[in-house]
Amino acid sequence: QVHLVESGGGLVHPGGSLRLSCAATGNVYGINDMGWYRQVPGKQRELVATITVGGITNTAASVKGRFTISRDNDNYTATLQMNSLKPEDTAVYYCNADLFGSDYPFGYREYWGQGVLVTVSS
C-alpha cells in the first residue's frame, strides 16, 4: 500500500525552527504536486505551501518568508523548513500529494499523511 509518512513535529519555543519531512512509501510510480496543510481544532484545514514537480512553489501569506517547501523527486519526499515560528503556527501539519501508486491503478489521486503536531509555546 502507498502511504505518506510525516516526521519532525514537536514542541518549539517562539522564534525557533522545525523541519518537517514527508516520505511516500510503497509502490509509487509518480507524484505531481506535493504540499503541506495545517489544521487547528475547530477550524478548517488550510494550505501552508505547495510545490510542483518542476519546483514551482505557492506559500500562504501567513508563513511567507518564514517557511520554505522543497522536494526530492527521485526519493518521493517533501520537506517544510519552518523558521521564526510563532504561537499561531501551532497546528497539526499534514502532507498532501497527487500521487500514482500501485493501490489505485486508474491514475493519480490525492493522498494525505496522518499528520504531525507542531506546538509553538514558551
Side-chain angles (χ1 to χ4, degrees):
Q1 280 195 334
V2 174
H3 297 283
L4 295 179
V5 180
E6 301 121 329
S7 60
L11 172 65
V12 63
H13 293 308
S17 297
L18 277 178
R19 185 179 179 90
L20 303 183
S21 297
C22 172
T25 64
N27 290 325
V28 178
Y29 305 142
I31 303 180
N32 287 332
D33 292 357
M34 300 187 76
W36 289 94
Y37 292 73
R38 66 186 183 186
Q39 188 169 24
V40 175
K43 293 189 175 182
Q44 284 192 330
R45 192 171 296 186
E46 64 175 10
L47 179 148
V48 177
T50 61
I51 184 168
T52 69
V53 68
I56 298 172
T57 61
N58 177 39
T59 306
S62 59
V63 304
K64 193 165 289 187
R66 301 187 296 121
F67 291 12
T68 303
I69 187 171
S70 60
R71 66 187 285 174
D72 181 339
N73 291 331
D74 291 334
N75 293 302
Y76 299 127
T77 61
T79 60
L80 184 69
Q81 178 65 42
M82 305 186 293
N83 299 327
S84 303
L85 282 159
K86 304 175 181 180
E88 51 263 43
D89 295 319
T90 296
V92 177
Y93 285 71
Y94 296 90
C95 180
N96 172 272
D98 181 33
L99 185 154
F100 181 27
S102 60
D103 57 343
Y104 185 74
F106 305 106
Y108 287 82
R109 74 166 181 90
E110 188 175 47
Y111 287 78
W112 290 93
Q114 79 284 358
V116 289
L117 177 63
V118 171
T119 303
V120 185
S121 175
S122 55

